[in-house]
Amino acid sequence: MSNNNIVSVQPDVSAYNGKDYAPNAFQMDVSNLEESENSFDDWLRLHTSRDVVSFTNEVLEYLAETTQAFRAVFFVQTRDNHKKFEATACYGVSDSVLYLKTVTLNEGIIGEVAATKKAKIFNNLPKNALTIDFVSVGVSTACVLVLPVLFNNTVYGVVELYYFRVMTAQEQKRIKRLINVLGATLQGILDYRKNKILLEQSDEHREQILAQKDEMEQTIEKLFDTQVELEKQKKRTEIAFNNFKSTNKRLMESIKYAKSVQKALLPDPLRLNTLFSESFVVYQPKDVVSGDFYWFSKADFTQAPPEPFILAVIDCTGHGVPGGFMSMVGNALLHEIVNIKQIIEPALILTMLHRGIRDVLRQESSTNHDGMEATICQFLPKNEQEYDVIFAGAKHQLYYFKDDKMLKVSGDRKFLGGGNLQLPHLTFENHTFSLKKGEVLYLSTDGLVDTCNPQRRKYGTKRWESIVKGCYQKPLSTQKHIIIKDVLNFKQDGEQRDDITCISVRV
């Protein structure tokens, strides 16, 4: 049997030298043991201490002297956990040599006794199983008693007693009786300890509650002051909000009126169908009013037929109200350049438009940098089956299909207006090509290809070109729905970052 499975005190085997000992020298005088049993209650009443450590030390000393134990250890239920036991007292040995100072139920011999509520007795131990250095002689321990301290079938402690000699059954029985007497007293001391702790905690809690009460009263006063201030602020906010609603209502009415004015300035898209076999116009402002606009006019002031037709798609700086004002400036300038000054060459129209923006916005003497990107096309009927087209662009391009092949024509990389970011005078290049009957042409601002999806990816030029290649032979009314549907499917809940304008005509 292993020493570790028998006792909680580490055996000292270093001093054992093989010498025998005389067990009769340690014989217990049991003649007064019966009297001790009867008087233990009286002794407890005289020596009971409210302190657990003092009480268990006194009890161990009494038991050791009464029963002639040479060592003893007292384990008591801990204050926080009734399933744990801690060594509160040692007799004849230092607590530093204990294997475990705290044990749980079923942990080692102590834990087993506490769990089963039954004593463990190791009597007539083999020689040298546990040896003690006693007066420089190795003396073997003959008996170890591990006894539960019970009251009302509850274990409140465990006592461990060591003897040099074998204990008779009668002696074991009488020692158990002594231990049994301890149960009620130990339970009372532990209850006192628990109540004392609860009382101390209660006092602490009471002080905390009083402190919290003061803090709460101060907080309530602050909250009351805050509530008064919030009521005042609420009234100020309501007044400000009502003023804001009134101002916003007037502003929205003004913007809606501006929208109606802008819409009135835009030419009727159906007029395109009087000049071409088919057409569509997609016009989608980002806000209520738009910085994009389209413009067309028949140059009926020319002396000789056929009369040329001017078509323009313009993207002004900004969107919303600022862009809307710029679009009105651009619309007025185009009317003046084409219909009053009778200039019909696209490149020259762009030059004049550039000059006009700078003059109207006084960009020569201000820090204003606003401007426009533009597409200007002149359509001149060559015969009933063909049109000559002259195109000039400012940072714009157009697409057309010739013999079932998509062609792209890019304008100049110059910006109209622009303040000191541009030269005061700009010239542009004309691009000339022809369209036969049935061939189609597309103009658009960059708002369409800049449309973003929820992942902030742009619709892009490649996708635009791909969707047009796939449907250019279909009727333009069908193409319009295909293009709009594809853009919306791509955009989903994404942001429309700019105004969108797209125009297509079929000769």
Side-chain angles (χ1 to χ4, degrees), residues 469-488:
K469 285 179 182 178
C471 67
Y472 79 95
Q473 292 179 329
K474 299 180 184 295
L476 288 186
S477 59
T478 303
Q479 290 188 42
K480 177 179 179 179
H481 289 101
I482 291 173
I483 292 170
I484 292 174
K485 182 179 179 181
D486 189 65
V487 172
L488 291 177

Side-chain angles (χ1 to χ4, degrees), residues 107 128 136 147 197 221 236 259 262-263 269 289 307 429 441 444:
E107 183 180 9
N128 303 330
S136 299
L147 309 170
I197 293 171
E221 290 179 3
R236 292 195 295 267
K259 178 183 179 181
Q262 187 180 54
K263 185 177 181 181
V289 291
E307 298 168 338
E429 181 183 357
L441 175 145
S444 71

Side-chain angles (χ1 to χ4, degrees), residues 323-334:
F325 278 113
M326 283 294 294
S327 73
M328 292 181 183
V329 170
N331 199 303
L333 288 172
L334 278 174

Side-chain angles (χ1 to χ4, degrees), residues 342-354:
Q342 299 183 0
I343 296 172
I344 61 174
E345 181 190 343
L348 187 54
I349 291 173
L350 289 179
T351 297
M352 297 297 291
L353 189 57
H354 171 68

Side-chain angles (χ1 to χ4, degrees), residues 1-8 11 99 108-109:
M1 182 182 297
S2 170
N3 294 339
N4 293 350
N5 293 329
I6 299 177
V7 292
S8 65
Y99 285 129
I109 298 301

Side-chain angles (χ1 to χ4, degrees), residues 3-17:
N3 294 339
N4 293 350
N5 293 329
I6 299 177
V7 292
S8 65
V9 176
Q10 183 175 359
D12 182 4
V13 298
S14 62
Y16 179 68
N17 55 14

Side-chain angles (χ1 to χ4, degrees), residues 32 55 73 79 140 184 281 344 384 409 428 454 469 491:
N32 63 347
F55 172 72
V73 184
R79 66 176 70 186
S140 294
V281 176
I344 61 174
E384 292 183 357
V409 184
F428 296 86
K469 285 179 182 178
K491 177 178 173 290

Side-chain angles (χ1 to χ4, degrees), residues 7 15 85-86 110 175 212 274 332 335 341 349 370 414 422:
V7 292
F85 295 82
E86 59 183 345
I110 304 300
I175 293 171
Q212 290 173 358
T274 64
H335 174 72
K341 295 182 178 179
I349 291 173
D370 292 335
K414 300 173 185 178
Q422 290 284 21

